[in-house]
mmCIF file of all heavy atoms in Angstrom:
data_model
loop_
_atom_site.group_PDB
_atom_site.id
_atom_site.type_symbol
_atom_site.label_atom_id
_atom_site.label_comp_id
_atom_site.label_asym_id
_atom_site.label_seq_id
_atom_site.Cartn_x
_atom_site.Cartn_y
_atom_site.Cartn_z
ATOM 1 N N ASP A 1 88.897 -126.412 155.641
ATOM 2 C CA ASP A 1 89.314 -125.213 156.384
ATOM 3 C C ASP A 1 90.816 -125.167 156.659
ATOM 4 O O ASP A 1 91.268 -124.435 157.546
ATOM 5 C CB ASP A 1 88.547 -125.090 157.708
ATOM 6 C CG ASP A 1 87.056 -124.871 157.496
ATOM 7 O OD1 ASP A 1 86.690 -124.184 156.511
ATOM 8 O OD2 ASP A 1 86.252 -125.395 158.289
ATOM 9 N N ALA A 2 91.600 -125.906 155.908
ATOM 10 C CA ALA A 2 93.046 -125.937 156.123
ATOM 11 C C ALA A 2 93.716 -124.680 155.574
ATOM 12 O O ALA A 2 93.270 -124.095 154.580
ATOM 13 C CB ALA A 2 93.659 -127.165 155.446
ATOM 14 N N HIS A 3 94.799 -124.286 156.227
ATOM 15 C CA HIS A 3 95.675 -123.237 155.727
ATOM 16 C C HIS A 3 96.870 -123.943 155.080
ATOM 17 O O HIS A 3 97.623 -124.654 155.751
ATOM 18 C CB HIS A 3 96.102 -122.311 156.857
ATOM 19 C CG HIS A 3 94.953 -121.577 157.459
ATOM 20 N ND1 HIS A 3 94.373 -120.472 156.854
ATOM 21 C CD2 HIS A 3 94.232 -121.812 158.585
ATOM 22 C CE1 HIS A 3 93.367 -120.048 157.601
ATOM 23 N NE2 HIS A 3 93.259 -120.843 158.656
ATOM 24 N N VAL A 4 97.012 -123.755 153.772
ATOM 25 C CA VAL A 4 97.893 -124.567 152.946
ATOM 26 C C VAL A 4 99.090 -123.751 152.478
ATOM 27 O O VAL A 4 98.956 -122.586 152.080
ATOM 28 C CB VAL A 4 97.120 -125.121 151.729
ATOM 29 C CG1 VAL A 4 98.039 -125.924 150.809
ATOM 30 C CG2 VAL A 4 95.940 -125.975 152.195
ATOM 31 N N LEU A 5 100.262 -124.379 152.493
ATOM 32 C CA LEU A 5 101.483 -123.804 151.943
ATOM 33 C C LEU A 5 101.971 -124.712 150.828
ATOM 34 O O LEU A 5 102.224 -125.896 151.052
ATOM 35 C CB LEU A 5 102.549 -123.674 153.031
ATOM 36 C CG LEU A 5 103.920 -123.127 152.605
ATOM 37 C CD1 LEU A 5 103.796 -121.721 152.036
ATOM 38 C CD2 LEU A 5 104.892 -123.162 153.786
ATOM 39 N N ASP A 6 102.089 -124.167 149.623
ATOM 40 C CA ASP A 6 102.521 -124.919 148.442
ATOM 41 C C ASP A 6 103.885 -124.390 148.031
ATOM 42 O O ASP A 6 103.990 -123.335 147.391
ATOM 43 C CB ASP A 6 101.480 -124.749 147.331
ATOM 44 C CG ASP A 6 101.769 -125.583 146.092
ATOM 45 O OD1 ASP A 6 102.813 -126.270 146.049
ATOM 46 O OD2 ASP A 6 100.948 -125.533 145.152
ATOM 47 N N LEU A 7 104.958 -125.105 148.407
ATOM 48 C CA LEU A 7 106.323 -124.691 148.098
ATOM 49 C C LEU A 7 106.768 -125.285 146.761
ATOM 50 O O LEU A 7 106.398 -126.405 146.428
ATOM 51 C CB LEU A 7 107.274 -125.146 149.215
ATOM 52 C CG LEU A 7 106.991 -124.548 150.602
ATOM 53 C CD1 LEU A 7 107.860 -125.225 151.662
ATOM 54 C CD2 LEU A 7 107.222 -123.042 150.604
ATOM 55 N N PHE A 8 107.572 -124.543 146.005
ATOM 56 C CA PHE A 8 107.938 -124.924 144.629
ATOM 57 C C PHE A 8 106.644 -125.101 143.827
ATOM 58 O O PHE A 8 106.426 -126.129 143.182
ATOM 59 C CB PHE A 8 108.767 -126.208 144.603
ATOM 60 C CG PHE A 8 109.988 -126.196 145.482
ATOM 61 C CD1 PHE A 8 109.955 -126.723 146.755
ATOM 62 C CD2 PHE A 8 111.186 -125.655 145.019
ATOM 63 C CE1 PHE A 8 111.080 -126.719 147.567
ATOM 64 C CE2 PHE A 8 112.323 -125.645 145.816
ATOM 65 C CZ PHE A 8 112.265 -126.181 147.099
ATOM 66 N N ALA A 9 105.796 -124.095 143.855
ATOM 67 C CA ALA A 9 104.409 -124.262 143.422
ATOM 68 C C ALA A 9 104.247 -124.563 141.933
ATOM 69 O O ALA A 9 103.268 -125.203 141.544
ATOM 70 C CB ALA A 9 103.604 -123.014 143.783
ATOM 71 N N GLY A 10 105.158 -124.073 141.077
ATOM 72 C CA GLY A 10 105.003 -124.326 139.641
ATOM 73 C C GLY A 10 103.749 -123.670 139.111
ATOM 74 O O GLY A 10 103.634 -122.450 139.046
ATOM 75 N N SER A 11 102.760 -124.463 138.736
ATOM 76 C CA SER A 11 101.473 -123.938 138.269
ATOM 77 C C SER A 11 100.546 -123.585 139.419
ATOM 78 O O SER A 11 99.497 -122.963 139.203
ATOM 79 C CB SER A 11 100.787 -124.964 137.365
ATOM 80 O OG SER A 11 100.406 -126.105 138.123
ATOM 81 N N GLY A 12 100.886 -124.010 140.637
ATOM 82 C CA GLY A 12 100.005 -123.819 141.782
ATOM 83 C C GLY A 12 98.944 -124.890 141.925
ATOM 84 O O GLY A 12 98.042 -124.770 142.755
ATOM 85 N N ALA A 13 99.055 -125.976 141.155
ATOM 86 C CA ALA A 13 97.980 -126.971 141.095
ATOM 87 C C ALA A 13 97.672 -127.604 142.450
ATOM 88 O O ALA A 13 96.505 -127.858 142.772
ATOM 89 C CB ALA A 13 98.324 -128.057 140.080
ATOM 90 N N LEU A 14 98.698 -127.861 143.272
ATOM 91 C CA LEU A 14 98.438 -128.520 144.551
ATOM 92 C C LEU A 14 97.688 -127.598 145.513
ATOM 93 O O LEU A 14 96.700 -128.002 146.134
ATOM 94 C CB LEU A 14 99.760 -128.985 145.171
ATOM 95 C CG LEU A 14 100.483 -130.089 144.397
ATOM 96 C CD1 LEU A 14 101.874 -130.326 144.983
ATOM 97 C CD2 LEU A 14 99.676 -131.390 144.421
ATOM 98 N N GLY A 15 98.148 -126.367 145.637
ATOM 99 C CA GLY A 15 97.453 -125.423 146.505
ATOM 100 C C GLY A 15 96.056 -125.112 146.013
ATOM 101 O O GLY A 15 95.108 -125.009 146.812
ATOM 102 N N LEU A 16 95.899 -124.965 144.698
ATOM 103 C CA LEU A 16 94.588 -124.621 144.141
ATOM 104 C C LEU A 16 93.623 -125.799 144.206
ATOM 105 O O LEU A 16 92.420 -125.613 144.429
ATOM 106 C CB LEU A 16 94.751 -124.115 142.709
ATOM 107 C CG LEU A 16 95.607 -122.856 142.579
ATOM 108 C CD1 LEU A 16 95.752 -122.465 141.116
ATOM 109 C CD2 LEU A 16 95.042 -121.700 143.395
ATOM 110 N N GLU A 17 94.125 -127.015 144.038
ATOM 111 C CA GLU A 17 93.295 -128.202 144.241
ATOM 112 C C GLU A 17 92.779 -128.235 145.680
ATOM 113 O O GLU A 17 91.605 -128.561 145.928
ATOM 114 C CB GLU A 17 94.089 -129.465 143.948
ATOM 115 C CG GLU A 17 93.299 -130.761 144.063
ATOM 116 C CD GLU A 17 92.459 -131.098 142.847
ATOM 117 O OE1 GLU A 17 92.885 -130.809 141.712
ATOM 118 O OE2 GLU A 17 91.367 -131.672 143.040
ATOM 119 N N SER A 18 93.637 -127.880 146.630
ATOM 120 C CA SER A 18 93.223 -127.832 148.037
ATOM 121 C C SER A 18 92.082 -126.843 148.229
ATOM 122 O O SER A 18 91.107 -127.123 148.952
ATOM 123 C CB SER A 18 94.406 -127.438 148.916
ATOM 124 O OG SER A 18 95.473 -128.349 148.804
ATOM 125 N N MET A 19 92.192 -125.663 147.598
ATOM 126 C CA MET A 19 91.135 -124.662 147.717
ATOM 127 C C MET A 19 89.825 -125.170 147.121
ATOM 128 O O MET A 19 88.744 -124.948 147.680
ATOM 129 C CB MET A 19 91.566 -123.373 147.030
ATOM 130 C CG MET A 19 92.732 -122.661 147.679
ATOM 131 S SD MET A 19 92.352 -122.047 149.339
ATOM 132 C CE MET A 19 91.085 -120.824 148.963
ATOM 133 N N SER A 20 89.887 -125.839 145.993
ATOM 134 C CA SER A 20 88.689 -126.385 145.367
ATOM 135 C C SER A 20 87.978 -127.371 146.279
ATOM 136 O O SER A 20 86.753 -127.492 146.265
ATOM 137 C CB SER A 20 89.059 -127.072 144.044
ATOM 138 O OG SER A 20 87.933 -127.667 143.434
ATOM 139 N N ARG A 21 88.774 -128.046 147.122
ATOM 140 C CA ARG A 21 88.216 -129.101 147.984
ATOM 141 C C ARG A 21 87.984 -128.645 149.420
ATOM 142 O O ARG A 21 87.808 -129.486 150.300
ATOM 143 C CB ARG A 21 89.138 -130.315 147.957
ATOM 144 C CG ARG A 21 89.252 -130.972 146.588
ATOM 145 C CD ARG A 21 90.129 -132.186 146.654
ATOM 146 N NE ARG A 21 90.404 -132.771 145.350
ATOM 147 C CZ ARG A 21 90.204 -134.052 145.048
ATOM 148 N NH1 ARG A 21 89.705 -134.877 145.934
ATOM 149 N NH2 ARG A 21 90.530 -134.504 143.852
ATOM 150 N N GLY A 22 87.993 -127.351 149.666
ATOM 151 C CA GLY A 22 87.534 -126.878 150.963
ATOM 152 C C GLY A 22 88.561 -126.234 151.863
ATOM 153 O O GLY A 22 88.239 -125.876 153.003
ATOM 154 N N ALA A 23 89.797 -126.052 151.400
ATOM 155 C CA ALA A 23 90.784 -125.362 152.224
ATOM 156 C C ALA A 23 90.383 -123.907 152.429
ATOM 157 O O ALA A 23 89.702 -123.305 151.598
ATOM 158 C CB ALA A 23 92.167 -125.445 151.578
ATOM 159 N N ALA A 24 90.844 -123.322 153.536
ATOM 160 C CA ALA A 24 90.493 -121.936 153.856
ATOM 161 C C ALA A 24 91.395 -120.936 153.157
ATOM 162 O O ALA A 24 90.958 -119.832 152.812
ATOM 163 C CB ALA A 24 90.568 -121.722 155.371
#
């Protein structure tokens, strides 16, 4: 349920990995 900010996202892999694992 985390609200995630991915700065210098590039492909977005870090933010999208977070969503896959339960981020809000």
Side-chain angles (χ1 to χ4, degrees):
D1 295 325
H3 296 282
V4 177
L5 178 61
D6 185 357
L7 298 172
F8 307 96
S11 67
L14 294 172
L16 299 178
E17 183 81 35
S18 300
M19 294 295 295
S20 177
R21 296 182 187 233

